[in-house]
């Protein structure tokens, strides 16, 4: 019977082979289309620098854990506990997941929102071409609160709230700056629209904030 570490090693090797093949494929495409890329480089805007490998690992941490440590833990526990206890524990976990399905769904939605925001950042033309770093996201009171780190990113994110809302599929996105650290920004992804405030009370350059960091 295949041991748990061997399964994890095979999964990690498969992920590494997939990433290597994508890298080699991109390198080959760049060489084949080098002439056309050189001709259009003057017209196209400069591409934003890609995130470092540790940053990409952090971005995909939940997916990596889901395909490595989770299968390893399941296989190891099944080999140790036997079929009877394994069935009982899995049934209990399924019951808890069903009872708390709303919280599980909100947590999965918070992870998906991170990827949607990263896909929208290249369209915002942020200063310096650098995208804000998403530190973490969490559900709170029906909203998704996302903590970002980005220098001089607040004003641009504030002006492009509609783009962020369209990327996340919600009607409202609130932008909040940390009271002490200007580089820390909080986005509140809200699935509901805010109540309209009178113009005399709410100036046009102020956004009503759902939460404060």
């Amino acid at each position: 019977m295949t041991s748990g570490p061997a399964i994890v090693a095979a999964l990690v090797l498969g992920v590494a082979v997939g990433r290597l093949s994508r890298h080699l494929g991109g390198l080959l495409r760049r060489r084949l289309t080098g002439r056309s890329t050189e001709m259009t480089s003057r017209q196209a805007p400069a591409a934003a620098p890609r995130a470092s490998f540790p940053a990409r690992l952090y971005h995909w941490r939940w997916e990596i854990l889901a395909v490595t440590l989770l299968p390893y833990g399941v296989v190891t526990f099944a080999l140790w506990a036997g079929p009877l206890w394994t069935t009982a524990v899995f049934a209990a976990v399924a019951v808890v997941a069903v009872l708390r399905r709303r919280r599980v769904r909100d947590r999965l939605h918070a992870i998906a929102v991170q990827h949607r925001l990263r896909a929208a950042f290249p369209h915002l033309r942020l200063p310096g071409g650098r995208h804000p770093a998403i530190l973490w996201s969490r559900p709170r009171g029906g909203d998704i609160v996302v903590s970002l780190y980005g220098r001089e990113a607040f004003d641009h994110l504030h002006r492009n709230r509609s783009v962020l809302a369209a990327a996340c599929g919600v009607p409202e996105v609130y932008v909040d700056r940390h009271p002490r650290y200007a580089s820390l920004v909080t986005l509140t992804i809200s699935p509901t629209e805010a109540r309209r405030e009178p113009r005399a009370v709410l100036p046009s350059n102020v956004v009503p904030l759902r939460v404060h960091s």
Side-chain angles (χ1 to χ4, degrees):
M1 182 177 295
T2 305
S3 62
I7 295 177
V8 174
L11 291 172
V12 174
L13 181 61
V15 173
V17 170
R19 296 192 63 86
L20 180 61
S21 63
R22 289 178 56 187
H23 175 73
L24 293 177
L27 181 61
L28 179 60
R29 287 193 298 271
R30 285 194 297 270
R31 289 187 175 182
L32 293 177
T33 59
R35 182 172 301 178
S36 59
T37 303
E38 182 180 357
M39 294 175 61
T40 58
S41 59
R42 297 181 180 179
Q43 301 177 357
R50 295 187 60 183
S52 62
F53 182 70
R56 292 199 296 271
L57 286 180
Y58 181 76
H59 294 168
W60 294 91
R61 60 193 183 278
W62 297 113
E63 291 80 359
I64 294 174
L65 291 175
V67 300
T68 56
L69 292 183
L70 182 60
Y72 172 72
V74 170
V75 173
T76 302
F77 178 79
L79 294 176
W80 174 76
L84 181 60
W85 281 105
T86 300
T87 303
V89 170
F90 284 176
V93 171
V95 170
V96 172
V98 170
L99 294 177
R100 309 190 70 175
R101 58 186 178 274
R102 182 175 180 179
R103 178 169 296 184
V104 174
R105 183 179 65 249
D106 291 343
R107 185 59 208 169
L108 294 177
H109 186 203
I111 296 174
V113 162
Q114 297 186 29
H115 299 299
R116 293 183 180 181
L117 289 174
R118 292 191 187 96
F121 286 159
H123 303 283
L124 303 184
R125 297 182 179 180
L126 297 173
R130 301 188 64 87
H131 303 162
I134 298 179
L135 303 179
W136 56 79
S137 62
R138 58 198 179 277
R140 177 185 293 177
D143 300 336
I144 302 296
V145 180
V146 183
S147 299
L148 307 175
Y149 176 82
R151 296 180 179 178
E152 302 179 0
F154 173 79
D155 294 333
H156 293 266
L157 294 175
H158 182 279
R159 287 196 296 265
N160 291 277
R161 299 187 310 276
S162 59
V163 178
L164 299 176
C168 297
V170 296
E172 294 287 348
V173 171
Y174 303 89
V175 184
D176 187 12
R177 181 162 43 193
H178 196 277
R180 293 184 57 186
Y181 306 102
S183 297
L184 296 180
V185 180
T186 299
L187 301 182
T188 303
I189 315 300
S190 177
T192 58
E193 295 185 1
R195 294 181 300 176
R196 298 296 181 181
E197 299 289 345
R199 292 184 179 272
V201 177
L202 185 65
S204 60
N205 61 342
V206 175
V207 182
L209 301 178
R210 185 70 58 90
V211 296
H212 295 276
S213 56

